[in-house]
Amino acid sequence: MKQSKVASEITGKVWKIVAAPGTQLAEDEPILILESMKMEIPVSAPLDCKVVEILVAEGDTVSEGQAVAVIEG
Amino acid sequence: MAFEKELEAFQRRTEAARAMGSKKRLAERQDAGLLNARQRVDVLIDAGTFEEAGLFARSIRPEAAGISPTDGVVSGFGRIDGRLCGVNAADFTVLGSSSAEVHGKKQAFVRNAAAQNGHPVINLMECAGGRIPDIMGAAGIGRAGEHSRYTRTRTTPTLSAVMGLTYGGGAFACINSDLVVMRKGAVLAVSSQMATSVAIGEEMDPQDLGGWRHHSEGTGFVDAVVDTDEDCIAWIRKALSYFPDHANATTPVAPIPPDAEDAVAGILDLVPEHRGKTYDMRKVIAAIADPGSVLPVKDRFAKVAVTCLARIRGRAVGVIATNPMFKGGALDPDSCDKIASFIVLCDSFNLPIVFLADTPGFLVGLESEKRRLAGKIMNFMAALELSTVPKVALILRKSFGQAYLNMGGGKSDTTASWFTGEISFMDPAVAVNIVYAVKREDDPERFEELAKEVAKETSAYDLAAPFMAHAVIDPRETRSYIARQLDIFSRGLTNGVGAHRLADWPPAF
């Protein structure tokens, strides 16, 4: 199993973390939700994977391209 | 029999030319699950209709005459679902289908004949790059330019498949196409990794240099990715079905599937009522279009924008939409390029455009500004304003600011909104922050009060009152509404043919 980082595609604020480390996700299932452009924008699993680590906390501001989670899959 | 010797020689020469490259190379391809050039033509073209041009062509260098049957490209004309098309199918088993004088002359012959007589062109490409020694020396490179024509005036649809290692001239032929499909494992690049490593000392994996991920997600040069040679050809055949033979003809009309009106009835379940929640616009498009008719274009690139070919009641259309599922539907610089290029495609071949907007606006921020967002918004708008095909603009939920105009609002033949529409200069919540310097977290009560105030007169009915929206519709009527508008704005005076003011838009994406 290969570990990789998932990056935010947009600058915004971390609103809610929905998948804690250890959670198994299918492709396109949300890891966390950002608030940006007054929208709730999910950062989703790019493939079927397990969440290894969440690199941000709720309320943090993240930039476009910033890694927000480590996954394994 | 008279002419016995000549007939025998003719037969021998024909067989030798049709045999392509060495048996070893042909066997290697077969073992790798790849079709050879003639098999590809057979899969693409209706049986018995291929008219080959240049079977006896070969390299201009006498010493290479025996090893250059067809000079590495199977060229000619044939029918695809009954429609006459020009075809250039690279034969990689012959000198890597490398670019050389006769090789290029054959491809140009097909392209020119097709353009002058109104036939689509299909390129099934592989290319090792320029052929050495043919193109070496002053005269070599000079000859390469003597007969080439790189400008593309979008007279007839040109569809290309990247089906193997495709460098140099082969890559340029694909780039100069209206749509490009790529087989996984193929490579598209200006220069091979071998030449690259020698020229600049950079070692790399060919897939990083020009593989399917690079081009479908990074550059956007490739419109679709498939697994096999057969899939490439099937994609080309399907894509062609949306296009007319040439720019002065209208698109073919397909039969309407029997259950075509069913899916739109469930459209209200596809869009969340909460204005801040995201959803997948592609599901909405699938519900509006004839079942099975949606052909995504650049679906892995700049996903905020959805561009696809589809049919509505049998009529081919181009759909341009924002997808709230990605970046909340906020249009970024790449999505502007993607949409502008798709407008050019549709306008050049008389495909009406349907805009579906649900966007909080253009994606502002440092990164967007660095990537020249302002210029890209204007290019997108220029393409929109210069286009002359019928355009129907529909607002689904929100459409704010300049993005409202770019997504066809007031810039189309007709503009309408679902009853859920919300239209303004910017999101009211943002405006409260800016105008009154009040944040929700600091004073929720005051914030809500001001937000209500700022949100006044932003409904679909407020756009309809001054007749800026020509209709407010129930989402379940979307499909029939669009179909009726396309009937009304049918460009009858020119038989559905546009002015093609975008035909000379820069050739590359």
Side-chain angles (χ1 to χ4, degrees), chain A:
Chain A
M1 295 291 239
K2 203 171 119 189
Q3 287 201 351
S4 57
K5 287 181 176 170
V6 180
S8 166
E9 58 171 19
I10 192 166
T11 298
K13 199 178 256 191
V14 180
W15 180 59
K16 199 192 273 182
I17 292 165
V18 285
T23 310
Q24 193 70 39
L25 295 175
E27 185 177 341
D28 286 338
E29 280 189 327
I31 301 169
L32 51 85
I33 297 172
L34 300 175
E35 193 197 336
S36 181
M37 300 291 287
K38 298 294 161 193
M39 297 287 289
E40 294 167 18
I41 299 169
V43 177
S44 303
L47 65 169
D48 295 350
C49 64
K50 190 170 89 177
V51 178
V52 175
E53 191 183 353
I54 301 289
L55 304 172
V56 291
E58 288 179 2
D60 284 0
T61 299
V62 297
S63 311
E64 180 178 341
Q66 182 181 333
V68 295
V70 180
I71 55 162
E72 190 176 79

Side-chain angles (χ1 to χ4, degrees), chain B residues 114-133:
Chain B
Q116 284 156 12
N117 297 283
H119 309 303
V121 173
I122 312 298
N123 297 311
L124 306 179
M125 277 293 127
E126 288 182 79
C127 180
R131 190 181 303 165
I132 297 172

Side-chain angles (χ1 to χ4, degrees), chain B residues 144-213:
Chain B
E146 270 188 321
H147 303 293
S148 4
R149 183 173 56 83
Y150 293 103
T151 47
R152 181 163 67 106
T153 52
R154 297 180 174 85
T155 315
T156 62
T158 302
L159 310 183
S160 292
V162 185
M163 302 182 81
L165 300 177
T166 306
Y167 301 121
F172 297 149
C174 294
I175 293 298
N176 272 341
S177 302
D178 296 297
L179 288 175
V180 182
V181 60
M182 186 172 196
R183 179 178 59 74
K184 284 182 184 172
V187 176
L188 174 86
V190 173
S191 190
S192 72
Q193 92 277 9
M194 214 197 296
T196 305
S197 66
V198 172
I200 60 169
E202 198 174 38
E203 295 290 343
M204 66 192 70
D205 183 321
Q207 284 299 309
D208 293 335
L209 190 65
W212 66 273
R213 275 197 187 278

Side-chain angles (χ1 to χ4, degrees), chain B residues 61 63 68 99 121 134 146 158 218 224 228-229 240 248 255 261 311 396 435 445 464 470 504:
Chain B
R61 287 187 303 112
E63 66 273 25
S68 57
S99 303
V121 173
D134 299 41
E146 270 188 321
T158 302
T228 66
D229 277 13
L240 183 65
N248 291 329
E261 307 297 328
R311 290 194 183 83
L396 274 54
V435 180
E445 206 173 305
H470 304 139
D504 297 332

